[in-house]
Amino acid sequence: MWQVHGGMVDPSDQWQQRDLLGLLGTPVAPAPITPEPVTPEPIQASAEPTSPGAVAAPRALLILDTETTGLNPDQGQCIEVGAILFAVAERAVLSQVSFLLPCEHNPAQAINGIAAEVTRLQQPWQAGLTCFAAMVEHCDAVLAHNAAFDRQWFTAGGMLPPIARPWICSMEDIHWPAERQLRPTPSVRDLALAYGVPVWAAHRALTDCIYLAQVLERCEQLEQLLQAALEPRQLFRAKLGYNERHQAKQAGFRWNDPVPGAWTRRLSLREARALPFAVQAVETAEALPERNAA
């Protein structure tokens, strides 16, 4: 128990999380209060480029995840968005939002645990979308795990707005430190555990964003990893024989995806030159169709 000005306070009340979207209604107050104007402090710039031509690390990241009813917009719709605005230099969460989008049916309920009837309950999802759009405007880049899957839901004409920011895939574009002993394309769960983040739930959008934010908080080389992840990338094919295919798999190359009959992976030119085997550029990643979730 805590004592405040001679009174007793229930300690559980200290841990109650406030729903900011719930404050959008008109509260009944005895008298209006005019707050003093506050000038927000600017986010400090992150590390400068480490080499000529390299991009600077983003100052603010939008960590994003979605839950959907299908694998692509032609087969389903996005029914949940979770996002966290993250200050890179300060390793700090600035704001976060999560909301459901109404749907009639959810064939993926067994995977994401979201019942279609729950998405249709009355709730201010439009206000959540407005908050999300403001967070997008404030960020320098978007980070998602399997970004190719999440990115395809943010297109012109859809329920979600297009995002005109660079995208970073925390599964493929970031080469996590070797001492973490991760696979070349780790899952969110494995990434969290490698950084000592407890995994207490799975497969809701904001939950996965929280895991990623806590990983970034613990990452000492974050600016350098983000700079490398923002380098221009294109698709490379591994030039290996059948008996050497294990080398491509160990390096994070995928078989038959997206090029039939080939081991391929999106890499920067620097990363391609560092490989222990020869590769051949196929074409720019932007010219290929987006990869679906596994």
Side-chain angles (χ1 to χ4, degrees):
M1 303 289 284
W2 286 272
Q3 185 170 354
V4 180
H5 302 301
M8 303 302 291
V9 178
D10 183 354
S12 64
D13 192 53
Q14 305 295 316
W15 299 94
Q16 296 300 316
Q17 184 176 7
R18 306 301 184 213
D19 181 4
L20 296 181
L21 295 179
L23 300 178
L24 293 175
T26 304
V28 178
I33 298 175
T34 303
E36 293 295 330
V38 177
T39 302
E41 296 183 3
I43 300 175
Q44 296 300 316
S46 298
E48 292 298 321
T50 55
S51 60
V55 296
R59 298 173 304 165
L61 278 177
L62 185 68
I63 304 170
L64 181 151
D65 191 35
T66 61
E67 296 300 336
T68 67
T69 64
L71 293 178
N72 61 60
D74 295 329
Q75 299 174 348
Q77 71 173 86
C78 178
I79 57 172
E80 185 175 45
V81 175
I84 292 177
L85 191 62
F86 185 85
V88 174
E90 293 79 5
R91 305 292 197 274
V93 171
L94 300 178
S95 59
Q96 59 187 30
V97 67
S98 176
F99 53 91
L100 292 173
L101 296 167
C103 73
E104 290 298 321
H105 307 285
N106 180 18
Q109 180 177 346
I111 298 174
N112 53 44
I114 302 173
E117 55 268 26
V118 171
T119 71
R120 299 194 298 272
L121 294 176
Q122 187 175 3
Q123 50 98 5
W125 64 266
Q126 296 95 335
L129 191 54
T130 299
C131 177
F132 172 77
M135 294 165 68
V136 170
E137 287 300 312
H138 190 79
C139 78
D140 300 307
V142 177
L143 182 140
H145 208 74
N146 195 2
F149 175 77
D150 294 299
R151 185 175 186 173
Q152 63 186 338
W153 303 96
F154 297 87
T155 57
M159 183 174 289
L160 298 173
I163 297 179
R165 294 288 188 275
W167 284 71
I168 298 173
C169 182
S170 53
M171 182 176 70
E172 292 217 355
D173 295 340
I174 297 180
H175 289 203
W176 299 98
E179 61 267 21
R180 298 294 171 174
Q181 299 182 337
L182 288 160
R183 294 178 297 170
T185 54
S187 65
V188 172
R189 173 186 175 275
D190 291 345
L191 186 57
L193 293 176
Y195 276 86
V197 177
V199 176
W200 44 271
H203 251 303
R204 287 297 295 264
L206 187 59
T207 306
D208 283 357
C209 292
I210 292 172
Y211 293 149
L212 290 172
Q214 293 186 349
V215 166
L216 301 187
E217 288 173 356
R218 293 160 167 78
C219 186
E220 295 180 358
Q221 311 100 313
L222 180 57
E223 286 84 357
Q224 290 76 19
L225 293 176
L226 293 176
Q227 282 180 248
L230 285 170
E231 292 177 356
R233 279 174 157 67
Q234 65 183 112
L235 199 68
F236 285 90
R237 176 202 305 261
K239 300 178 68 175
L240 293 170
Y242 179 80
N243 294 331
E244 302 170 306
R245 64 190 184 281
H246 64 281
Q247 295 185 49
K249 187 174 182 180
Q250 290 173 354
F253 282 63
R254 279 187 165 85
W255 172 253
N256 230 31
D257 177 20
V259 178
W263 289 95
T264 56
R265 185 177 183 184
R266 292 175 61 249
L267 299 166
S268 68
L269 185 59
R270 177 185 55 81
E271 292 166 342
R273 288 171 174 168
L275 290 170
F277 52 85
V279 293
Q280 179 182 6
V282 179
E283 56 181 300
T284 60
E286 290 74 16
L288 292 165
E290 297 286 5
R291 186 181 60 256
N292 293 331

